Amino acid sequence: MRKSCLTFCLGAIGMALASYGQVEAVWLTHRSPAPDKIVVNWKSARPGPSRVCYGPDATCARVEASSEEGSRVLHHVEIATPQRGVTVFYRVESGDQKSGPLSFRTCPEDGVRVAVVGDWGYSGRPDLTALKADKPHMLMTAGDNVASIINPLQAGDIHNTKPFIELLKSETAFFASTPFMPILGNHDKQVGPRKDKRPGVSAEVYDVSATAYLDVFRLPDVGWRWAFALPQADVTFLALDMQHLSDVGTTFQTCHDYHRGSEQFLWYDEQTRNAKTGFVVTLLNADSRCRNLEKGAWHEMFSRGTVFITGFGYYAERAVERNGFPYYNTCAAKPNGAVYRDPMAVVCEPSANYMLLTFDRAAGKMTVDLKRLDGSVIDRQTYTRRAR
């Protein structure tokens, strides 16, 4: 019954979009640092104004919200969602370009579920049936959401949003009903081929500023790194821009500086020192051994939280440092190439996988499942709320 209901609901959302071909994709993100607001995003076939109608039923007649950004094809309208565990119906409009009624559920008071997918850009069209059956209240990533943003018609095009839109269209109904919080990987910024590596930062290969990504996704803070708290799960998620760290300072540099004293280092240090929630989850796209950088300062900061999640390699992994802190790797793509096994790994399996984080706020526990794409569990661990 649960699966058939899910299939019916997602199918209805897909029909609501398919019947209005002028709206190519709709997706939900959070720009505010907490879930009492949500951004409704969409791509229209032609430029137009941005308006969202929403309410407690399919008439979507209670409230209207609009953007002052003018006529455009990429639309972002933030709406208020203060109530927990309720269904919100909504419709997007760009002049005469409209969707049918769509819907999403806000996170409940307890029992929040968050799924994490890594390396989507190299997974083709993965079968997410099991992930959807877990009914996550939110979907996050561990980077490399697309294979690249290289525009074959224009070298170095930092505004090429097409790969992200194609990703969003690949799971139209899911993205229209499940808030999506991606993080950056190197491929999400790749605007040219990797050749002629040399000293000196260049925009020829990677757009470190992630222009196209930020055009598509409205996220908290500055977007390329962000903090997002879910009070009803007692968790803070921290997203970092860290990949290919050995290339920093060369023409292959992909990410913002990570060295001690850099803006990113200082921001993360402050976030991990001052987090008010019982759980802190860090998301990034670098090898888990980045914990050794800056004479172990990154491990010290990571381990102030609860878990570290990366999408660096094509395998499922849980490594445990000597102080007991866990480092996870997740990847939705099938195994391809070498397995960069962490020397501290206690679980390492070369299979396509995803992660499911389930929060029991009342009990002060977070359960972390590493799951194969068929839903079977590779590894399950439960973590207790940290002392604050």
Side-chain angles (χ1 to χ4, degrees):
M1 179 64 71
R2 181 183 179 190
K3 182 177 179 180
S4 61
C5 178
L6 175 69
T7 302
F8 173 80
C9 293
L10 292 181
I13 292 172
M15 291 176 62
L17 289 172
S19 61
Y20 294 85
Q22 302 301 321
V23 177
E24 298 179 8
V26 179
W27 61 102
L28 305 168
T29 61
H30 288 281
R31 181 175 62 194
S32 299
D36 55 348
K37 294 180 181 179
I38 198 166
V39 181
V40 180
N41 314 265
W42 69 99
K43 166 76 165 53
S44 59
R46 305 184 311 277
S50 309
R51 187 170 76 153
V52 174
C53 303
Y54 64 105
D57 55 52
T59 64
C60 309
R62 176 77 55 89
V63 183
E64 294 182 4
S66 60
S67 169
E68 302 299 325
E69 295 180 309
S71 183
R72 54 196 294 118
V73 295
L74 284 177
H75 308 267
H76 316 278
V77 177
E78 190 171 53
I79 65 175
T81 54
Q83 292 181 297
R84 297 177 177 180
V86 300
T87 299
V88 177
F89 292 85
Y90 70 100
R91 181 178 65 252
V92 302
E93 300 181 357
S94 301
D96 62 351
Q97 303 172 92
K98 303 178 181 180
S99 74
L102 306 166
S103 68
F104 63 89
R105 283 191 64 81
T106 59
C107 285
E109 289 288 353
D110 205 347
V112 173
R113 296 180 299 278
V114 177
V116 182
V117 175
D119 299 292
W120 208 326
Y122 284 84
S123 61
R125 289 292 299 271
D127 183 355
L128 299 181
T129 301
L131 185 153
K132 294 173 187 175
D134 283 330
K135 303 182 78 171
H137 299 102
M138 187 172 295
L139 177 66
M140 296 188 175
T141 74
D144 286 344
N145 305 286
V146 296
S148 82
I149 58 168
I150 296 174
N151 185 344
L153 303 178
Q154 182 180 338
D157 181 7
I158 65 173
H159 297 284
N160 182 26
T161 61
K162 183 177 179 180
F164 296 116
I165 299 302
E166 291 303 312
L167 168 66
L168 295 163
K169 289 167 67 174
S170 72
E171 289 287 347
T172 307
F174 191 41
F175 285 121
S177 60
T178 308
F180 183 45
M181 301 287 284
I183 74 159
L184 281 163
N186 58 298
H187 294 290
D188 300 308
K189 312 176 210 175
Q190 188 173 0
V191 296
R194 285 172 59 90
K195 58 183 181 180
D196 190 22
K197 180 178 179 180
R198 59 189 186 278
V201 180
S202 167
E204 297 171 3
V205 182
Y206 296 101
D207 172 28
V208 174
S209 298
T211 306
Y213 172 90
L214 296 179
D215 283 346
V216 174
F217 301 111
R218 291 296 190 263
L219 298 164
D221 295 319
V222 292
W224 56 264
R225 51 103 177 126
W226 48 260
F228 181 76
L230 272 171
Q232 54 267 62
D234 195 21
V235 62
T236 298
F237 292 93
L238 298 174
L240 289 167
D241 181 30
M242 294 176 67
Q243 333 86 29
H244 283 231
L245 302 180
S246 62
D247 290 333
V248 170
T250 75
T251 51
F252 284 8
Q253 180 169 335
T254 77
C255 66
H256 288 77
D257 192 6
Y258 66 87
H259 291 97
R260 188 186 297 272
S262 67
E263 187 270 347
Q264 182 165 217
F265 184 102
L266 295 174
W267 175 83
Y268 187 70
D269 186 33
E270 180 181 13
Q271 291 290 327
T272 53
R273 288 183 187 277
N274 298 329
K276 300 297 192 293
T277 54
F279 301 100
V280 175
V281 176
T282 297
L283 302 158
L284 71 165
N285 189 241
D287 186 336
S288 58
R289 281 161 281 198
C290 70
R291 61 184 179 266
N292 299 318
L293 293 170
E294 300 303 286
K295 299 182 178 179
W298 277 101
H299 171 64
E300 179 187 349
M301 294 190 291
F302 292 145
S303 58
R304 292 173 192 157
T306 313
V307 297
F308 164 113
I309 300 174
T310 187
F312 181 76
Y314 293 82
Y315 48 91
E317 183 176 72
R318 176 173 59 88
V320 181
E321 256 290 356
R322 293 181 179 85
N323 67 344
F325 183 77
Y327 287 82
Y328 284 90
N329 188 93
T330 186
C331 176
K334 294 180 179 179
N336 180 17
V339 173
Y340 305 102
R341 184 185 178 96
D342 190 303
M344 298 292 187
V346 293
V347 173
C348 187
E349 179 180 299
S351 62
N353 63 89
Y354 67 96
M355 294 181 68
L356 183 69
L357 282 56
T358 304
F359 296 88
D360 184 340
R361 188 186 60 173
K365 294 181 179 180
M366 175 182 72
T367 299
V368 178
D369 288 325
L370 265 172
K371 292 185 150 192
R372 302 176 188 92
L373 289 192
D374 64 6
S376 58
V377 176
I378 300 169
D379 180 68
R380 173 174 292 166
Q381 300 294 315
T382 298
Y383 302 96
T384 56
R385 181 185 288 125
R386 68 195 183 107
R388 288 172 282 179

